[in-house]
Amino acid sequence: PMPIVSIAGVMEGIPSVTVDNDAGMREAILHLIEEHGAKRIGFIRGPEANEDAERRYQVFCDVLREKGVPFDPSLVVNGNFEREFGREAIRVLLDDRGAVMDALVSSSDDMAIGALEALKERGIRIPDDLALVSFDDDEEARLHNPGLTTVRQPIYEQGRKAAEMVFALLEGKSVPDRVTLSTE
C-alpha cells in the first residue's frame, strides 16, 4: 500500500529513476580512442545479469565498431563490480591470455581500483603505459593516486529525485513512469 519508486532497476508498474549509461560510457571510450590513440582496448565487464553492466558493455562494442577499432574478445573479462575482481581481471588478461592493450575500460570504479593496484604492482604506469577509465565516480576513485578518469553517475541526484517522487505519490500526485538522469 505504500508508494514505491525504484532506483536503477526498471520494474513493471513501478516508477523508476535510472541513469543514462550510454552518454557517459560513450564519452569515456571516445576519449581513449581520440585523445590517447587507443587501438587495443580491454574491457572488464560487470555482472551479465545486471542491466547497467550490459548496457555499458554494449556501448563499448558499438563505439569500437563505429570508430573502426578492432574488437578482440580475448581482451574482455566478465566481472562482478568488486575490487578484488579487478585484480583478478589483470591476472587473467596479462598472465593467462598474454593480452597486449593500450587502454582498459572498467564497468565500475571498484574493479578499476583493483585493476590499478595490480597494474602498479607489475610496474605498469597509469596513464603513461596504459590508459584506464571506469564508471561511477566513487569518492575513492577521485582520491586514488593516480586519480581515475571515471564517468560520473549521479547517485545522490537519483536518490533525491526518487524521494521527491515518493512524496508526490504520498500527496496523491502523478509521477512519470521513468526518469532518466545523465552521466558525465
Side-chain angles (χ1 to χ4, degrees), residues 110-124:
D110 275 343
M111 289 190 302
I113 290 169
L116 177 61
E117 291 167 349
L119 290 163
K120 284 171 71 173
E121 288 168 6
R122 292 165 179 262
I124 298 171

Side-chain angles (χ1 to χ4, degrees), residues 20-27 29 43 53-66:
D20 173 16
N21 288 281
D22 293 27
M25 185 55 82
R26 174 181 278 297
E27 247 182 272
I29 297 162
F43 194 89
E54 285 303 291
R55 191 67 212 138
R56 293 170 195 169
Y57 178 64
Q58 187 59 55
V59 170
F60 169 75
C61 294
D62 292 346
V63 172
L64 292 185
R65 187 173 42 259
E66 290 166 17

Side-chain angles (χ1 to χ4, degrees), residues 140-162:
E140 188 174 355
R142 283 180 261 136
L143 300 175
H144 211 277
N145 185 18
L148 286 173
T149 298
T150 180
V151 175
R152 182 181 173 276
Q153 183 170 210
I155 300 294
Y156 296 107
E157 293 88 342
Q158 232 181 333
R160 186 178 65 241
K161 185 63 179 172

Side-chain angles (χ1 to χ4, degrees), residues 32-33 36-41 64 67-71 75 102-103:
L32 291 174
I33 295 168
H36 293 274
K39 298 285 183 223
R40 292 196 45 81
I41 306 173
L64 292 185
K67 289 298 190 176
V69 175
F71 172 79
L75 298 181
D102 49 17

Side-chain angles (χ1 to χ4, degrees), residues 92-141:
V92 168
L93 288 166
L94 300 184
D95 297 342
D96 294 353
R97 299 182 185 171
V100 176
M101 304 174 287
D102 49 17
L104 179 63
V105 178
S106 174
S107 291
S108 77
D109 286 349
D110 275 343
M111 289 190 302
I113 290 169
L116 177 61
E117 291 167 349
L119 290 163
K120 284 171 71 173
E121 288 168 6
R122 292 165 179 262
I124 298 171
R125 298 169 302 148
I126 306 300
D128 299 325
D129 300 328
L130 180 76
L132 174 64
V133 298
S134 62
F135 200 100
D136 288 330
D137 193 27
D138 289 342
E139 187 171 328
E140 188 174 355

